[in-house]
Amino acid sequence: MSANRFIGTMLALTFSSFIARAADEILPATNRVISADLQQVKGPRSMVWQDCVGAGRVAEGLRDGWRRQLEECHREIGFKYIRMHGLLQDELGVYSEVNGVPRYNWQYIDDVYDFLLSIGMKPFVEFGFMPNALKSGSGKIFWWNANVTPPNDYAKWDALITALVKHWTQRYGESEVETWRFEVWNEPNYPGFWHPPTNSTPRDAYFRLYEHTARDVKSVGTDYLVGGPAGAGPVWTKELIELCQSNRIPIDFISYHAYGLGGGPSGLDEYGNNKLYLSPNLHSVADIVNSQP
């Protein structure tokens, strides 16, 4: 080895050693010990996570592989409800118009829901997204082009929701549908999922959609359970409860997606612009609900 190469190697080793010692002095110890006494009973274990599982979109439920996986999950884990996007998506052919006259097609929804009930699961119905024939704008999300704008005609939207809930009642029976959950839209406070008209705020536009949809569901079955706002984080909950109380709008439950995080309006920031942290109280919305008369 040449003298220059030897000196270079020694300098590199010395520098690396210096950096390692400096890191030991500056960085705090990251090791931690978690201990558990398996003989000590802390209390009952919450199984709330078994209540519902999320899936991609309803159309995936037409696939045999998807069905076999869900059946295994239900059997092994015990999930009770399943929540899916895209119930009213055009790929299911649910809604179309001919010369302005609405046409309904329940074939593919029936296929998926028949399967869910056959394996002992129930749908957690998410009303969304907007059929192209009813869209009021071009806002879209996901590669499958889900339209995320309000309806261009609320009379036609009301007729669609009412007809669909009536169909479920006739097909499965009122006592069965009373055990389902009906939720209006998905995360309307997140811009990607809700593009309201420019003359309305996202919240006000969603509240209008919620009122129409909730009344539509209850017009078919007064004991059917409907709720929202299905927010990205516990947002708009107090305002929605107050709106429903003031205007006698039906609401049976409050829903939101906690994600386990805080920071930013929803606790999620895919662009990395907001700091994220574990929320100290994932169920703070319960305080809002319980405070209402």
Side-chain angles (χ1 to χ4, degrees):
M1 179 183 294
S2 67
N4 289 339
R5 187 174 180 183
F6 175 78
I7 293 173
T9 301
M10 292 303 296
L11 287 174
L13 291 173
T14 302
F15 181 73
S16 299
S17 177
F18 171 78
I19 292 297
R21 288 198 304 272
D24 289 339
E25 294 174 0
I26 296 173
L27 298 178
T30 57
N31 293 335
R32 62 176 179 170
V33 176
I34 299 176
S35 60
D37 184 353
L38 300 183
Q39 302 300 317
Q40 182 67 36
V41 177
K42 184 70 174 180
R45 180 163 63 106
S46 172
M47 304 296 286
V48 67
W49 48 270
Q50 283 186 326
D51 284 348
C52 187
V53 64
R57 66 193 199 282
V58 177
E60 294 171 354
L62 298 171
R63 304 173 184 171
D64 180 66
W66 184 97
R67 293 185 175 193
R68 285 187 280 108
Q69 288 182 342
L70 180 63
E71 188 170 9
E72 181 179 0
C73 287
H74 172 63
R75 182 175 61 252
E76 299 292 335
I77 302 175
F79 291 126
K80 302 171 185 175
Y81 289 84
I82 183 169
R83 180 181 184 271
M84 301 171 282
H85 296 319
L87 176 71
L88 306 178
Q89 191 68 14
D90 277 9
E91 64 183 332
L92 293 175
V94 175
Y95 182 88
S96 61
E97 293 185 9
V98 177
N99 297 323
V101 179
R103 288 190 175 182
Y104 308 138
N105 172 26
W106 317 129
Q107 176 184 356
Y108 298 113
I109 293 179
D110 287 349
D111 196 341
V112 175
Y113 278 28
D114 286 355
F115 169 74
L116 296 180
L117 296 178
S118 75
I119 65 171
M121 294 191 70
K122 297 178 183 293
F124 195 114
V125 180
E126 175 199 306
F127 286 118
F129 294 103
M130 195 57 58
N132 279 323
L134 274 178
K135 68 182 182 182
S136 59
S138 59
K140 295 182 292 186
I141 194 170
F142 300 132
W143 64 267
W144 38 281
N145 295 324
N147 186 276
V148 291
T149 64
N152 57 37
D153 187 324
Y154 266 99
K156 290 180 177 179
W157 172 264
D158 291 336
L160 169 62
I161 300 302
T162 302
L164 180 53
V165 178
K166 281 184 177 179
H167 170 74
W168 283 328
T169 303
Q170 294 167 356
R171 187 175 184 85
Y172 303 114
E174 190 174 86
S175 60
E176 169 61 34
V177 180
E178 284 177 355
T179 67
W180 297 6
R181 305 291 184 269
F182 295 95
E183 187 180 48
V184 182
W185 213 253
N186 176 73
E187 300 190 354
N189 65 306
Y190 182 68
F193 283 114
W194 187 234
H195 290 204
T198 56
N199 62 349
S200 176
T201 66
R203 191 190 72 181
D204 289 345
Y206 172 74
F207 283 178
R208 185 184 183 194
L209 180 75
Y210 177 85
E211 178 177 0
H212 275 266
T213 310
R215 293 192 189 281
D216 296 338
V217 172
K218 291 290 189 177
S219 72
V220 181
T222 56
D223 292 328
Y224 292 174
L225 303 177
V226 62
V235 297
W236 302 353
T237 52
K238 182 175 184 293
E239 295 87 346
L240 180 59
I241 293 172
E242 291 174 347
L243 175 78
C244 292
Q245 288 179 331
S246 300
N247 297 277
R248 301 182 66 83
I249 302 170
I251 186 167
D252 297 296
F253 62 86
I254 288 291
S255 62
Y256 70 98
H257 306 149
Y259 294 114
L261 300 171
S266 68
L268 291 178
D269 184 358
E270 70 273 32
Y271 303 106
N273 295 326
N274 293 319
K275 291 182 178 180
L276 302 180
Y277 51 86
L278 290 177
S279 174
N281 183 5
L282 301 183
H283 305 289
S284 59
V285 71
D287 299 333
I288 297 174
V289 175
N290 294 333
S291 68
Q292 303 300 310

